[in-house]
Each structure stands twice: as structure tokens, then as C-alpha cells.
């Protein structure tokens, strides 16, 4: 009888751990967070740009990023601007990745836009990019590569 109860308890515990209530989520799961950083973007040329964002309203698993700016870190970045609707989302099963839907209108006026998965560090609340490719918006257009860089979003964690 005790052995049967132990097996049943173990089975229930494994089901509970696999349930959606233990899925990844943002913390905080409401309100807004802001961050900034610098990225190296390439398409027809390589530019370094400063990026600032505010994600709001946060939910447990996603957040639109309605406030975003791209400013020069290098001279040619003055011609780069945000493109499309930006957002962030958790990556199911991971506390070390973040999914970002982002885009840029580039120096060549050839926009790129899509979803990339960047490395996430909870200890520093930082998304780090490494050769993340954004597809072209227009048929026959060129993709963009976020070669490197990071954006720190103080107070945001993925649990």
C-alpha cells in the first residue's frame, strides 16, 4: 500500500511540474520597464547604434514595446530608425533566452523586420545579441544582422 501511494505521489508530482503553471514568465508581470544599450547592425554597411526601449504593459509572457528609439553610436546610424511594431516575449522552457520582434529601416532605406531569440541574463537583466538575422521586409530586399551588442532592462527577469 505504501509503495503504491509513493508511486502515485511521484506521478502526480511529475504532472504538476510539467503543468503550464510552471512555464516561464516575466517578473514583474505588470507595469512597464525601460532599458537601453548599443548594437552593431550590418546590411550594406556596418553601424553602431544606441537603442532605448520601454516595454508596456507587461504581462506574464509578453510585452509590446511602444516606445523605442535608435540614435547614432556611429555617424551613419543617424539614418537608421525603428521599423514595425516591437515586442518581447518569453521563450517557453528557457530562462536564458528572450524572443524579440524588432525591425529597422536601414542606411540603404531597405527595412528588415522579424523575430529573433537573444541570450538573456537574469543577473544583469540584459539581452545580448550575436549575429541575429532579421529578414528583409520587401521582396528582393536585404536582411540585416545584429552582429553584437546588448540592451539592459533593469528590473526585468524571466522566471
Amino acid at each position: 500500500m505504501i509503495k503504491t501511494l509513493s508511486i502515485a505521489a511521484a506521478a502526480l508530482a511529475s504532472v504538476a511540474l510539467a503543468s503550464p503553471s510552471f512555464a516561464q514568465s516575466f517578473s514583474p508581470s505588470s507595469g512597464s520597464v525601460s532599458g537601453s544599450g548599443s548594437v552593431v547592425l550590418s546590411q550594406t554597411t556596418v553601424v553602431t547604434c544606441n537603442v532605448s526601449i520601454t516595454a508596456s504593459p507587461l504581462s506574464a509572457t509578453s510585452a509590446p514595446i511602444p516606445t523605442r528609439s535608435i540614435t547614432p553610436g556611429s555617424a551613419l546610424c543617424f539614418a537608421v530608425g525603428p521599423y514595425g511594431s516591437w515586442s518581447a516575449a518569453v521563450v517557453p522552457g528557457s530562462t536564458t533566452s528572450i524572443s524579440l520582434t524588432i525591425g529597422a529601416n536601414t542606411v540603404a532605406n531597405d527595412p528588415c523586420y522579424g523575430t529573433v531569440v537573444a541570450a538573456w541574463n537574469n543577473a544583469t537583466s540584459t539581452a545580448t545579441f550575436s549575429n541575429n538575422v532579421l529578414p528583409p521586409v520587401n521582396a528582393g530586399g536585404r536582411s540585416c544582422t545584429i552582429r553584437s551588442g546588448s540592451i539592459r532592462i533593469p528590473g526585468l527577469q524571466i522566471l
Side-chain angles (χ1 to χ4, degrees):
M1 176 78 168
I2 292 176
K3 186 175 182 180
T4 304
L5 286 176
S6 296
I7 293 170
L12 285 173
S14 68
V15 170
L17 290 174
S19 75
S21 64
F22 289 91
Q24 280 55 55
S25 63
F26 284 130
S27 177
S29 60
S30 63
S32 66
V33 291
S34 296
S36 62
S38 178
V39 297
V40 176
L41 178 70
S42 68
Q43 188 187 56
T44 57
T45 189
V46 178
V47 296
T48 300
C49 299
N50 298 318
V51 178
S52 296
I53 60 138
T54 297
S56 178
L58 286 170
S59 76
T61 59
S62 65
I65 302 173
T67 306
R68 69 258 196 258
S69 68
I70 298 174
T71 58
S74 63
L76 286 177
C77 189
F78 78 90
V80 177
Y83 184 89
S85 298
W86 289 19
S87 62
V90 298
V91 174
S94 177
T95 58
T96 59
S97 300
I98 188 168
S99 177
L100 299 167
T101 300
I102 53 179
N105 194 13
T106 65
V107 172
N109 195 29
D110 193 1
C112 46
Y113 179 78
T115 301
V116 298
V117 175
W120 179 258
N121 183 320
N122 269 335
T124 61
S125 299
T126 302
T128 301
F129 299 93
S130 179
N131 295 313
N132 300 92
V133 177
L134 293 169
V137 170
N138 302 312
R142 293 167 285 221
S143 61
C144 299
T145 301
I146 306 172
R147 290 185 174 188
S148 62
S150 62
I151 299 174
R152 185 170 181 268
I153 309 167
L156 185 66
Q157 291 194 318
I158 300 174
L159 306 175

